[in-house]
Amino acid sequence: MHRLLEEVFYPAFSNPALDARHDGAEQDVGGERLAFTTDSYVVRPLFFPGGSIGELAVYGTVNDLAMCGARPLALSAAFILEEGLPIETLRRVVEAMREAAGRARVPLVTGDTKVVDKGKGDGLYVNTSGIGRIETPLRIGPASVRAGDAVLLSGDVGNHGIAVLSVREGLEFGGPVSSDAAPLWEPVEALLASGAEVHCLRDLTRGGLASAVNEIASAGRIGIRLEEGKIPVEGTVAGACEILGLDPLYVANEGRFVAFVPANQAQAALGVMRRFQACSKATIAGRVVDKHPETVVLETAIGGSRVLDLLSGEQMPRIC
Amino acid sequence: MHRLLEEVFYPAFSNPALDARHDGAEQDVGGERLAFTTDSYVVRPLFFPGGSIGELAVYGTVNDLAMCGARPLALSAAFILEEGLPIETLRRVVEAMREAAGRARVPLVTGDTKVVDKGKGDGLYVNTSGIGRIETPLRIGPASVRAGDAVLLSGDVGNHGIAVLSVREGLEFGGPVSSDAAPLWEPVEALLASGAEVHCLRDLTRGGLASAVNEIASAGRIGIRLEEGKIPVEGTVAGACEILGLDPLYVANEGRFVAFVPANQAQAALGVMRRFQACSKATIAGRVVDKHPETVVLETAIGGSRVLDLLSGEQMPRIC
């Protein structure tokens, strides 16, 4: 995927907005800074503990806007339906989207539906795009990250991926694992309103914490050190990962993010984040250093350290 | 599809932007009127005479913006790739999008890629969303259409659908038929700049001229009469339709539109449109009447008349 982007897409479409390698593109309209983002959702199965493709489609795009520091203004929704999809399934997904949009306080304003032949889809795929308004004067993005920044992590990692895997593979772990899918604009809005000098925000999606932090290290040409002991992992998730041979740092989330702020503002920012349920377990999980640029190093719980690489393949396909 | 929209989507997501039943939603941002639109493209096959899924994905969304009277500012592109898709195919599609975006003078600013298992897609699907700026004070949409308006048709109908069918079914007709896929912002911009009081614009897509005009009649609660003799159909397209038992008025286009303007401005508007190659065969194809609301009547070439219904099924699946 990384190679596809670097070799096929970026060269063809090169322009400043795309080259910023951010979660969304920034546009100036009428003196306002607008964020614009898109994502398709192909999660299998469509429903899983804690959510469905409907919540992911709404929160995923709302969160991409939030990571640009943008208040979500409007979403589009485009469906690709496979012939034979029960109308009841579609109704459930649409209802989940309606509720999620209400929770995230963003209207779905335009849409599209296409039907493809049986065997040419997988029930349904959804694309949502979103526009948001950047109300902060800050330039939030990898280029603003500085050595000395603290890396705030909004909560425990890996829940979404394990929740989906459990139902996909019919596995039972030590207890129920529920997706962390949640909208993140409210905590981000509070962070910005608190006056925190937010340098970068990134939600943890497909490739988990490790991939999100690697992308920032690479795009911002900075070195990042994470402390394993400061990264919360739910016991059941840790156990499931052990059984499945997965590293929870690479397992998907859909309601977690990292925030980069100057170290001397980290405690205050943490306090703001923890006011929100989705961020109640937020921690200071690492820091930006002026060594090993473009590299993420994990300081392990037993006092060692190892490089956290970008995975070359997808650890779990179709997780969002 | 019409029933799906009316029964599942509209009730769930009801809001003023969506309820306007227009090609795109309007948003106020920083004192500017912004248009926002989305479409997924699932055409089969990916390449056909006169274009590919790449041109459709760019022009289709640019045209939806243009139909809102909006200058295209930025597009997103989201790909769903089926495992096993040759990278060369992807490159060709991406190159087609790059060229099309250049021709339409709109940047592709953000994107997404998902991969699905073999047998769960059909090569590739693309979604594009677009934002545009409405620079005209006019309120362009079905609600602005009035009895007495002329219906301008920008060119011959049915070429795109027949071009795709010819290669999909391996058919040969009297001669080559090429898709009419083209970006339409330039002629619309010129129409608006000319001072024409444009009441409504709509591009002819999936359901062809008949469906586009029916949607407007229904949303605007007005009666429309079209003159069969004023609707240009290329000889090869007409012949192909006859062989296949299709009505060219319901066959897809991807570079044609209708414009509703007051009758006394129709000739001047026609002159403006004809300056553009994509509109060189523009005609005054009908008029809005204060009879039979929500109904489109075709005055046939032999002096009769018949109701042009909205088709209940899709005449041609996966045409865009």
Side-chain angles (χ1 to χ4, degrees):
Chain A
M1 183 60 52
H2 188 69
R3 272 188 49 210
L4 258 186
L5 288 172
E6 293 296 336
E7 291 176 14
V8 179
F9 293 109
Y10 287 138
F13 300 136
S14 180
N15 61 57
L18 198 61
D19 295 348
R21 304 275 199 280
H22 202 30
D23 271 349
E26 203 179 307
Q27 294 288 312
D28 285 324
V29 177
E32 303 258 17
R33 290 165 64 205
L34 217 66
F36 180 32
T37 184
T38 191
D39 259 317
S40 295
Y41 299 85
V42 301
V43 65
R44 179 170 59 86
L46 297 174
F47 303 91
F48 46 81
S52 74
I53 192 171
E55 284 89 353
L56 294 192
V58 171
Y59 297 152
T61 294
V62 161
N63 292 349
D64 280 346
L65 293 172
M67 297 305 121
C68 299
R71 175 187 303 281
L73 294 181
L75 296 188
S76 64
F79 296 82
I80 296 178
L81 309 178
E82 186 191 8
E83 223 172 22
L85 175 77
I87 188 97
E88 200 39 45
T89 306
L90 178 62
R91 275 189 209 279
R92 281 178 65 196
V93 170
V94 165
E95 180 56 23
M97 292 182 73
R98 195 186 63 75
E99 282 189 25
R103 189 174 159 202
R105 296 191 201 153
V106 61
L108 279 148
V109 297
T110 189
D112 177 54
T113 310
K114 295 288 190 307
V115 178
V116 297
D117 343 22
K118 201 159 177 66
K120 301 295 182 186
D122 197 7
L124 70 86
Y125 299 139
V126 192
N127 174 283
T128 52
S129 298
I131 53 177
R133 185 170 48 218
I134 303 172
E135 296 167 357
T136 169
L138 297 170
R139 295 277 157 187
I140 295 172
S144 299
V145 175
R146 295 286 170 267
D149 282 357
V151 181
L152 305 182
L153 170 62
S154 76
D156 40 21
V157 302
N159 299 53
H160 174 69
I162 296 301
V164 172
L165 268 196
S166 71
V167 44
R168 188 192 294 175
E169 312 294 350
L171 299 172
E172 288 189 22
F173 305 116
V177 176
S178 192
S179 170
D180 49 272
L184 297 172
W185 168 242
E186 284 194 356
V188 168
E189 182 183 25
L191 259 187
L192 296 171
S194 77
E197 191 187 307
V198 177
H199 289 166
C200 190
L201 298 165
R202 184 68 55 111
D203 54 340
L204 318 183
T205 54
R206 268 190 269 191
L209 174 65
S211 306
V213 173
N214 258 292
E215 284 166 21
I216 293 169
S218 169
R221 295 172 192 222
I222 44 138
I224 297 175
R225 298 184 78 87
L226 295 178
E227 291 178 61
E228 193 174 27
K230 299 286 179 61
I231 300 170
V233 185
E234 224 175 62
T236 330
V237 170
C241 284
E242 210 167 298
I243 294 169
L244 297 168
L246 298 172
D247 182 340
L249 303 190
Y250 290 91
V251 176
N253 287 79
E254 286 292 334
R256 300 285 178 261
F257 69 105
V258 286
F260 290 70
V261 302
N264 61 2
Q265 302 183 4
Q267 282 299 338
L270 203 59
V272 171
M273 285 167 69
R274 284 185 175 158
R275 298 205 314 253
F276 297 87
Q277 205 204 319
C279 305
S280 59
K281 297 181 195 160
T283 64
I284 301 173
R287 61 197 185 280
V288 180
V289 294
D290 58 4
K291 295 188 191 113
H292 52 76
E294 306 187 32
T295 305
V296 180
V297 171
L298 183 73
E299 298 172 354
T300 63
I302 53 165
S305 70
R306 62 181 169 94
V307 170
L308 267 189
D309 270 327
L310 204 57
L311 281 194
S312 59
E314 267 195 286
Q315 193 178 234
M316 283 186 272
R318 300 189 55 189
I319 207 74
C320 64
Chain B
M1 183 59 52
H2 187 67
R3 272 187 49 207
L4 259 187
L5 289 172
E6 294 295 337
E7 291 177 14
V8 179
F9 293 110
Y10 287 137
F13 299 136
S14 179
N15 62 56
L18 198 62
D19 296 346
R21 306 276 201 278
H22 202 34
D23 271 349
E26 205 178 307
Q27 294 287 312
D28 284 325
V29 177
E32 302 258 14
R33 292 164 64 203
L34 217 65
F36 180 32
T37 184
T38 191
D39 259 317
S40 294
Y41 299 86
V42 300
V43 66
R44 182 170 57 87
L46 297 172
F47 303 92
F48 45 81
S52 74
I53 192 171
E55 284 89 352
L56 294 193
V58 171
Y59 298 153
T61 294
V62 161
N63 292 349
D64 280 346
L65 292 172
M67 297 305 121
C68 300
R71 176 187 303 281
L73 293 181
L75 296 189
S76 65
F79 297 82
I80 296 177
L81 308 178
E82 186 191 8
E83 223 173 21
L85 175 77
I87 189 94
E88 200 39 46
T89 305
L90 178 61
R91 275 190 210 280
R92 280 177 67 196
V93 171
V94 165
E95 180 56 23
M97 291 181 75
R98 197 186 63 74
E99 282 189 24
R103 188 174 160 204
R105 294 188 202 155
V106 61
L108 277 146
V109 296
T110 190
D112 176 56
T113 312
K114 294 290 188 307
V115 178
V116 297
D117 342 22
K118 200 160 177 68
K120 301 295 182 187
D122 197 9
L124 71 87
Y125 300 138
V126 192
N127 175 282
T128 52
S129 299
I131 53 177
R133 186 170 48 220
I134 303 173
E135 296 167 356
T136 169
L138 297 171
R139 295 275 157 185
I140 295 172
S144 299
V145 175
R146 295 285 171 267
D149 281 359
V151 182
L152 305 182
L153 169 64
S154 76
D156 40 21
V157 301
N159 298 54
H160 174 69
I162 296 300
V164 172
L165 269 196
S166 71
V167 44
R168 186 192 294 176
E169 312 294 349
L171 299 172
E172 287 191 23
F173 304 115
V177 176
S178 193
S179 169
D180 49 271
L184 297 172
W185 168 242
E186 284 194 357
V188 168
E189 183 184 23
L191 258 186
L192 295 171
S194 76
E197 190 188 309
V198 177
H199 288 165
C200 190
L201 299 164
R202 183 68 54 112
D203 55 338
L204 317 184
T205 53
R206 269 190 268 189
L209 173 65
S211 305
V213 172
N214 258 292
E215 284 166 21
I216 292 169
S218 169
R221 292 167 195 226
I222 43 138
I224 297 175
R225 298 184 77 87
L226 296 178
E227 292 178 60
E228 192 173 28
K230 299 287 179 58
I231 299 169
V233 186
E234 224 176 61
T236 329
V237 170
C241 284
E242 208 167 299
I243 294 167
L244 297 167
L246 297 172
D247 181 341
L249 302 191
Y250 290 90
V251 175
N253 288 78
E254 286 292 336
R256 300 285 178 262
F257 69 104
V258 285
F260 290 70
V261 301
N264 62 2
Q265 302 181 7
Q267 282 300 337
L270 202 61
V272 172
M273 286 168 67
R274 285 185 174 157
R275 298 206 313 256
F276 298 86
Q277 204 203 321
C279 304
S280 60
K281 296 181 197 162
T283 63
I284 301 173
R287 62 196 185 283
V288 179
V289 294
D290 58 5
K291 292 186 196 123
H292 52 77
E294 305 187 31
T295 305
V296 179
V297 171
L298 183 74
E299 298 174 354
T300 63
I302 54 166
S305 70
R306 64 182 169 94
V307 170
L308 267 190
D309 270 327
L310 204 56
L311 279 196
S312 60
E314 268 197 285
Q315 193 177 232
M316 281 186 273
R318 299 186 59 188
I319 208 74
C320 64

